[in-house]
Structure formats: structure tokens, C-alpha cells
Amino acid sequence: MEGVLARLGAWAARRRRLVGAVWLVILLASAPLAMKQADRLSGGGWAVSGSDSARAEADMQTFPGAAGAILGLLVTGSSQSDVQARVTEARGVLGRYATVKAGTATPLDGGKAALVPLAYSGSINTRQDIAKTLRKALVQTTSSTSTRIIGQDALWSNYQEVSKKELARSESIGFPIILIVLLAAFGTAVAALAPPALGFVSVLVTGALIYLLSRSFEMSIFVQNIASMLGIGVAVDYSLFVVSRFRQELARGVEKEQAIARALASSGHAVVISGATVAASLAGLFIINLGAIRSLAVGAILVVLVSVLATVTLLPALLGFVGGGIERFRIRLPWRTSATEAGEGAFWKTWTERVLARPVLSLVGATAVMLVLASPLLAITTLERAKEQLPPSAEVRAATEEAQRLAGPGITGPVQLIASKSGTLERITAAVRALPGVARVAAPIRNSDGTLYEADAQLASDPETNEARQTLKTIIATAEPIAAADGATFLAGGSTAYNRDTEHAIFGSLWKMIVFILALSILVLLVMMRSVLLPLKAVLMNLLTVGATYGVLVAVFQWGWLDWTGYNSPGYIDSIVPALVLAINFGLSMDYEVFLLTRIRERYMEHHDNDRAVSEGVVMSARIITSCALIMVGVFGAFAIAGGVTLKQLGIGLAVAVALDATIVRLVIVPSTMKLLGDWNWWLPAWLDRVLPGGVRAPEAAAPSTPTA
């Protein structure tokens, strides 16, 4: 691979005009598509195939006029007559849409408000589209009335608009942070501009690919934010690796084209392996049986692969244009920014020597810190709350909260009680009415062919809370024995059941994800490092980082330890965050692991002195790893500042994970562990050496077959 990448880099440098022209055409074609991607994304994809909530949702399609409609029309006004007049006017507008049926209006607040349920008989996949259409046609505020559309699909259609603003705001914060860190790391304006350019290209091209894919299957509304967040980070990191090595080669007096070839052969090799590993780690998300999660995996994998492709083709072409001019426009800084290896680190040399001088103390102290950070994980509470993805001032969230205030918190998500016998449902509704946590139960209705009967049970709590889940559990425990005694079928549907099944699908698959990602990480490092113990050590370190990250998330977002800053913690962790943090963090950790261990192994294969190799490898890579980590933390932090609850938690989680991994893990735990293991770091049984790709190494290049004390 190193030879292939070296030749590719040299070719791209020679044919830089051709390569640049091809990428320019790709960018021009991608720009208009990427700008439209948000309009095609969906808030759906969270239904668990075969679950009770999915079956109930399918059954509800046979109740075209059901009260438990997917959308609602909320009209508020200064007088009862104004509200009634506006409801009548709105019904006229609704009559234009054959798939929408307005139910009976429920008067609220003494007639100064009315809530009209809206049933939709079209495809499930187009519900968000109709919500967007109805919002455009009906939402208005006049001197006498206010008209709003509420419901889950209305929330997600509103989030489409909000996410565009969040994305723009996050990127406007993130790119300046990246540029500042790169200027500090490189000390020259020309060198600092290449990585952000790669990040921009990767995100734009991926946005176009997401748009094209969204025309064939449902893509989650979160995918553009995840792709942008991850794409900016990895593209900048990968290009930083290559640009740094290119500058080092130039500083040694190597000719431009040869310097590019060497940079691609070494750092480019690490980029390809890291990118493949990140993509493979993200593939673990496919284990979760949710369309939304799988679409997030597709978007994240695409942006990583595009970043790798741009790094090994477009970046060599850009370096070919710039050449030695990469050192131009030097910025005077109070620290050295020499591109030579010798200039990379009096500080890091001193740091590494101190860690290696006291490996047991360093290992025990650093591990203790990580375990303390991980301890809150034991109290983690997860929930799905679509409403809180929107800021409090957002149109649909404000209207939803107004409806809950007027009609009770459970109005936005009743539990749908569905039975196959009329008498059974009557007995169930009578029993459910008496349960604590149930505000009211509507009269039963029959479906179009008379095979099913349904009644809505409105809860006394918000349908997206733990209280609602507990009430749902009680309802099911009460209803199922009644249905069994009558020989009837029974299902409980609605948003509370939907969210419960979604969370079970995520957490029920989490252990499978962990096994998949651990096995993959071990296999990749086993082939790359040709060592048995280094891959095992790496996955243990990554698990430690993930655990500490989860603990920090619980402390900040669940326990509210940062509420003194003015932030109002939600009191829970969004259900999708642990899975995304696990997959993305394992992938990103492999970036630093591969980059660091590659440098250490290079030194060890040269002189076979483990302690010296560890020291030299850390010193040679510490500044780059730290710069990459600062960039990642800045990018993820920008999304945390500008995003909703899920993006805040994901941004903070990934920022914490990267910061811990690049500091405590890479600069303390890894070197101290490798010091203690000594030559055992490089132990590989002869039979395994023959089996692994590449065969047996030449005797003069091989590490000692039997580790020494």
C-alpha cells in the first residue's frame, strides 16, 4: 500500500492541473445538490420493524378518522367567535387536500382556543411532507388569532428549517477555530489553509451524495449535521498528517515531488488505514435495526471515505501547486513551529521521559482519573424527546407546549388501545380509566372493516417522559390479562410505545456493536502492528475512554453539574447518543492509535530498543496528535454550542472523548503501558506471522521472536 500511495502522490503532483480540474467539476456539480439536502431529509426512520408500536401504527392506518391523529390544528384567539371563525376558515383550506381529514374540534380555555385532530391517509413516508405543506398553508398570526400545526411530523418539518441554521452557525464557529489551531501548529498561512480546504470539499461532496441517496430511501434529518461535524474533523486531521510530513521532507532538502510521495507513503498510509477503520467502526451502527441510525451510518461513512479520497488525490495536487511556497506568509509566534523532527519537541521529550521514568505511577494515576470520570455511567438515564430538539422559541415547539398547557401534557401523544373484540376493548378502557397517570379515555371506535377497535388513552404526563413510560407499562399489564381471558388480541401504540421500542432496539444491540467494533479494531491493529498485545491494549484504552465520556455526559446533562453556567440540563441522555459516541469515538481513537503506533513501530524496527522507540514515537507524533485533537474538540464544541439537545450531547461527548484520548490515554497510559510491557509489545507467534497478510518478515527486519525481560 505504501508503494501504491507513493506512486499515486507523485502522479497527482505531476498531473496537478488534471486532478484539480476533476475535483473542480465535482465541486461545481455537488454545490447545488448539497444546498438542497435538508429538504429531502426526514425525522422518521425510528420505527422498529416487527415491534408492538410498529404493528399498532400499521393497524391505525385502518382507522382513517381516528381521534389519535398524527397532526393537530391549534387555534388560539382573543374571543370564542374569532377562534370559531378561524377554525371554519382553516377547514376550507384543509378541504383542498384529499388525504387530510379534520376531526371534531375540542374547545379549550373557555372557547378561546380549539384543537382539531388531523388524520392523514397517505403514505407513512410522506407524512413529514404533508406537515410541511399544511404549515405553509395554515400557520399565521393575526391581531385576533394564532394558527399552528402540531404533532411529531410537524416537529420534524420545523427541525428541517432549524437544522439548516444550526449547521451554518456551527460551521461559522468551527472553521475559525480550525484556522487558529492550524496557524498555531504550522506557523504559516499557506500550510494552515490546506486542511480547511479539504474539510470544505469533503463536506460539500458528501452533502450532494446524501441528497442523491435521499431520493431512493429515507435519510435522517440528523445526517447532515453528523456528516458535517465528522467530515470537517477527519478531513482536517488527515490532511494535517500529510501536510506535516510533507513539510518535514522539504525541510530535509527532499525535492517537491519526492516529498509528496514520501508523505503519502507514510502519513497517507496511516490516513487510509485510519479512514478504513473509522468507516468500519461506523458500520457497526448497521447492527441497530433502525432506518434512521443506519442512514446516519451511511452519511458518516461516506464523509470519511470522501475525506480519504480527497487526502490522497486532491491534497497531493494542491501540494504540487504550492511546493516550497507552503512555508510562505510565516506568522511570528512565541514558540517554534519548525517542520523538522528535531524541532518538534523539547517539551514532549521531557514529558515522555518523566512518564517512562515512573511508568507504574503514571499508569495507575491516569487510569484512576479515567475510572472516576466513568463512575457516573452507572446512573445513566436515556430518553427520546423530539420536542426538545427545537429551541423553545421554535414555532411548533411553542405551539406544542401551549397545547399541553391548555389540554394537559398528554394531549400530544395518547396511548392507542387496540383490540380485536369490541367487548374486550370496553372492559380494557373501563380498567384503564381507573389507573393513576391516565387523564381520560376516549370512546372506542371501529376500523373500516370491523376487525379492530381502538380507543385513545390520554396520559397525565408528557408522552416523552419516564412517568409516561411507567404508566404505559401499567396499562399493558392491566389490559393484556383481560384480552387473554377473552381470547382477543391487544396492542398499545402511540409515541410513548414508539419511543420505548426505539430505545430497546438501540440498547439491545449495543453489546453486539461493542463486540463487532472490538473484534474489528483488534484485527486491524494485529495486521498493521504485527503484535498480539498492542491491539488488546488499544481496545481496552478505547473502552476506558468511552466509559469516561459516558460518565461526563451523565454528570453534565443528567445531573446538571454545569447548570451554574446558565445552561439548563435536560436531565437525561438522548437514546441515540451512546451508540453514536461508541462508534465514532472508536473510529477516531484509531486515528491517533494508528498514527502514534506507526511512528513507534518505525523506530522500533530500526533499532529494536523498545523504550527508545516509545520515547521517539511519542515525541515525533505528540504535537500533531495534540493539534488534531484541538481541532476535533473545536469542531465538536462548535456543534455543541449551536445544536439542539442531541447535537449538544453528541458534540460534548465526542469533544471530551477526543480530549481524553489525545492527552491522558495517548500521552500517559499508552507510553507507560508500553514501557512496562517492554519487548512483549512486539510479540507475535511465528505461526500467526505466517498467516497474517504480508507473510514472514525478513530476518534482518524482524523483531525479536522471544521477548526479553
Side-chain angles (χ1 to χ4, degrees):
M1 184 185 295
E2 292 174 354
V4 171
L5 289 171
R7 290 191 293 274
L8 177 61
W11 177 85
R14 287 195 304 271
R15 305 289 185 182
R16 52 188 175 273
R17 289 183 175 83
L18 173 63
V19 175
V22 170
W23 274 101
L24 182 59
V25 170
I26 293 173
L27 285 176
L28 292 175
S30 298
L33 301 180
M35 296 298 289
K36 296 189 292 184
Q37 62 174 313
D39 297 333
R40 298 286 310 176
L41 303 180
S42 166
W46 301 100
V48 182
S49 178
S51 66
D52 285 353
S53 60
R55 289 163 54 206
E57 185 174 34
D59 286 345
M60 287 302 297
Q61 300 303 305
T62 66
F63 293 87
I70 62 164
L71 295 168
L73 174 73
L74 177 67
V75 179
T76 59
S78 54
S79 68
Q80 183 175 352
S81 59
D82 288 338
V83 169
Q84 289 177 344
R86 177 54 183 159
V87 169
T88 302
E89 182 183 351
R91 286 184 184 277
V93 175
L94 290 167
R96 304 171 192 166
Y97 306 98
T99 55
V100 179
K101 181 179 179 180
T104 303
T106 301
L108 304 170
D109 194 23
K112 293 183 179 180
L115 182 60
V116 182
L118 304 177
Y120 179 57
S121 58
S123 168
I124 293 176
N125 295 329
T126 59
R127 295 193 317 197
Q128 192 170 305
D129 294 333
I130 195 64
K132 185 176 181 179
T133 300
L134 293 180
R135 287 178 56 229
K136 287 183 177 179
L138 290 167
V139 170
Q140 70 170 34
T141 301
T142 67
S143 58
S144 58
T145 61
S146 172
T147 308
R148 297 290 185 268
I149 298 294
I150 63 172
Q152 289 286 314
D153 293 289
L155 282 169
W156 289 118
S157 71
N158 197 178
Y159 188 71
Q160 278 186 332
E161 301 151 8
V162 171
S163 66
K164 287 183 181 180
K165 297 176 182 178
E166 289 180 347
L167 184 61
R169 191 159 59 246
S170 299
E171 291 175 346
S172 68
I173 297 171
F175 274 110
I177 292 174
I178 291 171
L179 194 56
I180 291 170
V181 173
L182 290 172
L183 285 172
F186 287 145
T188 73
V190 175
L193 287 174
L198 265 289
F200 172 79
V201 168
S202 300
V203 171
L204 188 68
V205 172
T206 303
L209 294 175
I210 289 171
Y211 171 79
L212 294 174
L213 288 173
S214 69
R215 299 185 66 85
S216 301
F217 60 91
E218 192 174 32
M219 298 287 285
S220 171
I221 188 67
F222 291 111
V223 73
Q224 65 173 350
N225 300 84
I226 298 297
S228 181
M229 179 192 300
L230 187 58
I232 294 172
V234 297
V236 171
D237 271 12
Y238 293 163
S239 53
L240 180 59
F241 290 164
V242 174
V243 171
S244 298
R245 190 59 179 256
F246 173 67
R247 294 179 72 214
Q248 290 173 2
E249 297 298 333
L250 286 181
R252 295 192 188 104
V254 177
E255 185 268 333
K256 176 182 71 175
E257 187 176 306
Q258 185 64 22
I260 294 173
R262 290 185 181 182
L264 263 290
S266 55
S267 295
H269 177 259
V271 165
V272 171
I273 295 298
S274 297
T277 307
V278 173
S281 295
L282 290 166
L285 292 169
F286 285 108
I287 293 172
I288 299 176
N289 184 26
L290 289 171
I293 295 287
R294 290 174 176 176
S295 72
L296 291 178
V298 169
I301 290 170
L302 278 176
V303 81
V304 171
L305 296 181
V306 171
S307 298
V308 172
L309 180 62
T311 302
V312 299
T313 57
L314 176 59
L315 183 58
L318 294 177
L319 295 178
F321 280 114
V322 174
I326 199 166
E327 301 298 337
R328 296 183 62 187
F329 304 110
R330 180 166 292 278
I331 300 170
R332 294 185 178 276
L333 297 170
W335 56 86
R336 296 183 64 185
T337 56
S338 170
T340 64
E341 291 182 2
E344 286 199 348
F347 170 81
W348 296 117
K349 190 174 189 310
T350 302
W351 172 275
T352 307
E353 287 174 349
R354 289 179 178 176
V355 170
L356 296 179
R358 299 174 180 82
V360 175
L361 179 62
S362 299
L363 178 60
V364 171
T367 304
V369 170
M370 297 290 281
L371 290 175
V372 168
L373 290 174
S375 58
L377 165 63
L378 300 175
I380 192 169
T381 297
T382 58
L383 283 174
E384 280 282 340
R385 305 199 71 173
K387 181 180 68 178
E388 293 188 6
Q389 302 304 326
L390 294 170
S393 60
E395 169 205 313
V396 180
R397 176 174 176 175
T400 301
E401 292 174 344
E402 177 69 4
Q404 290 177 320
R405 184 185 69 82
L406 295 172
I411 190 65
T412 56
V415 175
Q416 297 153 352
L417 310 175
I418 306 172
S420 59
K421 293 182 179 180
S422 176
T424 300
L425 185 59
E426 288 177 357
R427 282 185 285 278
I428 288 174
T429 55
V432 169
R433 280 192 185 94
L435 294 177
V438 177
R440 62 183 64 88
V441 180
I445 59 173
R446 188 178 68 175
N447 72 345
S448 53
D449 58 8
T451 58
L452 293 174
Y453 301 85
E454 188 269 344
D456 284 344
Q458 182 180 327
L459 305 183
S461 54
D462 188 310
E464 295 182 325
T465 61
N466 277 324
E467 291 80 1
R469 289 192 187 183
Q470 187 57 47
T471 303
L472 173 66
K473 185 177 180 180
T474 304
I475 289 173
I476 294 172
T478 301
E480 284 183 339
I482 297 174
D486 289 351
T489 61
F490 169 78
L491 283 176
S495 60
T496 304
Y498 188 92
N499 291 340
R500 174 207 59 190
D501 291 341
T502 297
E503 185 172 317
H504 287 173
I506 293 173
F507 282 89
S509 303
L510 207 54
W511 70 269
K512 299 175 188 176
M513 275 186 61
I514 293 174
V515 171
F516 173 83
I517 294 173
L518 290 182
L520 177 73
S521 301
I522 290 172
L523 181 61
V524 169
L525 286 178
L526 181 65
V527 173
M528 271 201 70
M529 297 294 112
R530 308 190 76 82
S531 162
V532 172
L533 295 182
L534 287 181
L536 296 175
K537 174 190 67 64
V539 297
L540 288 175
M541 297 303 97
N542 287 354
L543 284 175
L544 197 59
T545 302
V546 170
T549 301
Y550 287 170
V552 172
L553 286 174
V554 170
V556 173
F557 293 99
Q558 192 172 313
W559 293 352
W561 281 12
L562 290 184
D563 283 6
W564 58 271
T565 64
Y567 174 69
N568 186 21
S569 56
Y572 66 91
I573 306 301
D574 193 282
S575 298
I576 68 170
V577 169
L580 291 176
V581 167
L582 174 67
I584 296 175
N585 178 64
F586 251 86
L588 295 180
S589 295
M590 288 296 288
D591 270 356
Y592 304 136
E593 187 77 18
V594 168
F595 190 70
L596 174 59
L597 292 184
T598 298
R599 284 298 181 94
I600 293 175
R601 186 173 183 273
E602 284 178 1
R603 308 311 299 159
Y604 185 76
M605 298 306 293
E606 181 173 323
H607 49 62
H608 302 308
D609 184 332
N610 179 76
D611 291 0
R612 180 181 164 193
V614 172
S615 178
E616 291 173 346
V618 172
V619 170
M620 291 166 62
S621 59
R623 194 181 71 174
I624 299 302
I625 289 177
T626 303
S627 298
C628 289
L630 286 173
I631 289 168
M632 285 284 194
V633 170
V635 171
F636 295 148
F639 278 83
I641 292 171
V645 171
T646 300
L647 287 180
K648 274 186 169 62
Q649 294 180 357
L650 185 60
I652 292 297
L654 293 176
V656 168
V658 168
L660 292 175
D661 190 80
T663 53
I664 296 178
V665 173
R666 297 297 152 220
L667 300 179
V668 181
I669 296 180
V670 169
S672 59
T673 304
M674 294 187 74
K675 164 72 174 181
L676 293 172
L677 289 174
D679 286 335
W680 282 101
N681 285 302
W682 314 103
W683 175 67
L684 185 70
W687 66 269
L688 186 56
D689 196 8
R690 289 191 295 270
V691 170
L692 292 178
V696 181
R697 296 187 300 273
E700 64 272 17
S705 58
T706 303
T708 57

